[in-house]
Amino acid sequence: MKIKPSMRYCLLFVFAALLSGCKVSDYASDSKPIDHRIWDSLLQKHVTAEGLVDYQGFIADSARLNNYLDLLRQHHPNDKHWSRDERLAYWINAYNAFTVKLVADHYPVESIKDIKNGIPFVNTVWDIKFIEIEGQTYDLNNIEHGIIRPKFEEPRIHFAVNCAARSCPKLHNRAYTPETLDDQLTQAAEAFLADESKNKVSPNSAKLSKIFTWYGGDFKAGGMSIIEYINRYAPVEINADAEVSYLEYDWSLNEQ
């Protein structure tokens, strides 16, 4: 279906309005950095190397999951005591852990999009205000679009945050840590681009995840093209004039 220019402008306006609603004000906290070992052990136990999740296992382990979520809730990152990588690792882990919690609380579901909230086609599962950290209430959109993307300007986070769908970059079965964060983000990018269920790349063709069009501006920062960015991590070098298309997105649940 061809979209008329007037309709395209309307869609862009709606998208911009939705993202503007994700803005998050700075919060003055005096907390200290936390350890992510509980989350790391849960991921190793309940997530496969391919990123498939045993949600029933997480439900059975709900006491330990809640212990980790309580740790997140009691420690809001801040510039005073936390390094940049400590803050970014926290927010990536928080996004992923609270997503698992949300799905586990509504399990069984065929897709995370089946978890409804508010006005259809306006409010989505990512707008549910269920994340409370030191008295501040967030939804998943706040964390991704109000904190991680604008405050860290790191495109590789799109390969690290997991939306519980099969076409999403896989949920890594280890926690992100400040000590290894850069290497972990690079590995996540390489793994995503090498996964032919999510991207099919060759020298003359790039059939890409829709993530690269949804967040194209993040990957084009500094005047870089999508192909130039992808070639940093792709398993083969893609020619600058390669044909680019986008694959259908599978929103079915990323469960074992």
Side-chain angles (χ1 to χ4, degrees), residues 88-105:
L88 182 52
Y90 171 100
W91 287 118
I92 294 172
N93 289 330
Y95 186 98
N96 291 340
F98 279 109
T99 297
V100 167
K101 170 66 172 173
L102 185 61
V103 173
D105 282 351

Side-chain angles (χ1 to χ4, degrees), residues 156 172 174-178 180-189:
R156 289 176 298 173
H172 189 38
R174 299 300 299 265
Y176 285 88
T177 63
T180 59
L181 184 60
D182 187 63
D183 286 342
Q184 287 180 303
L185 291 175
T186 293
Q187 290 164 10

Side-chain angles (χ1 to χ4, degrees), residues 94-233:
Y95 186 98
N96 291 340
F98 279 109
T99 297
V100 167
K101 170 66 172 173
L102 185 61
V103 173
D105 282 351
H106 293 83
Y107 192 85
V109 290
E110 293 185 2
S111 168
I112 189 173
K113 295 176 77 174
D114 293 337
I115 301 171
K116 305 296 185 183
N117 178 62
I119 305 170
F121 307 111
V122 176
N123 299 118
T124 69
V125 61
W126 294 282
D127 300 307
I128 298 174
K129 301 282 187 183
F130 74 104
I131 303 166
E132 186 172 310
I133 303 172
E134 286 194 25
Q136 300 297 108
T137 303
Y138 300 122
D139 55 42
L140 291 169
N141 271 336
N142 291 145
I143 292 179
E144 182 178 5
H145 306 302
I147 297 174
I148 297 177
R149 290 178 64 211
K151 296 182 185 297
F152 295 94
E153 298 183 343
E154 171 51 80
R156 289 176 298 173
I157 64 94
H158 292 295
F159 315 123
V161 295
N162 179 267
C163 65
R166 288 189 177 270
S167 282
C168 291
K170 70 179 184 180
L171 178 61
H172 189 38
N173 64 351
R174 299 300 299 265
Y176 285 88
T177 63
E179 297 81 10
T180 59
L181 184 60
D182 187 63
D183 286 342
Q184 287 180 303
L185 291 175
T186 293
Q187 290 164 10
E190 292 172 345
F192 183 60
L193 283 161
D195 185 342
E196 293 191 352
S197 70
K198 298 176 174 68
N199 297 277
K200 303 178 189 298
V201 297
S202 67
N204 297 312
S205 173
K207 297 178 180 179
L208 304 176
S209 166
K210 286 187 177 179
I211 286 173
F212 289 108
T213 185
W214 291 336
Y215 304 111
D218 291 4
F219 301 108
K220 295 177 183 177
M224 187 176 294
S225 71
I226 290 290
I227 294 299
E228 286 174 323
Y229 185 87
I230 288 173
N231 274 336
R232 291 179 169 185
Y233 309 106

Side-chain angles (χ1 to χ4, degrees), residues 26-31 76-84 86-87 91 151-152:
D26 290 335
Y27 174 69
S29 170
D30 200 43
S31 74
H76 196 296
N78 57 78
D79 295 343
K80 182 178 179 182
H81 298 297
W82 300 56
S83 70
R84 178 188 182 277
E86 285 169 337
R87 287 180 279 123
W91 287 118
K151 296 182 185 297
F152 295 94

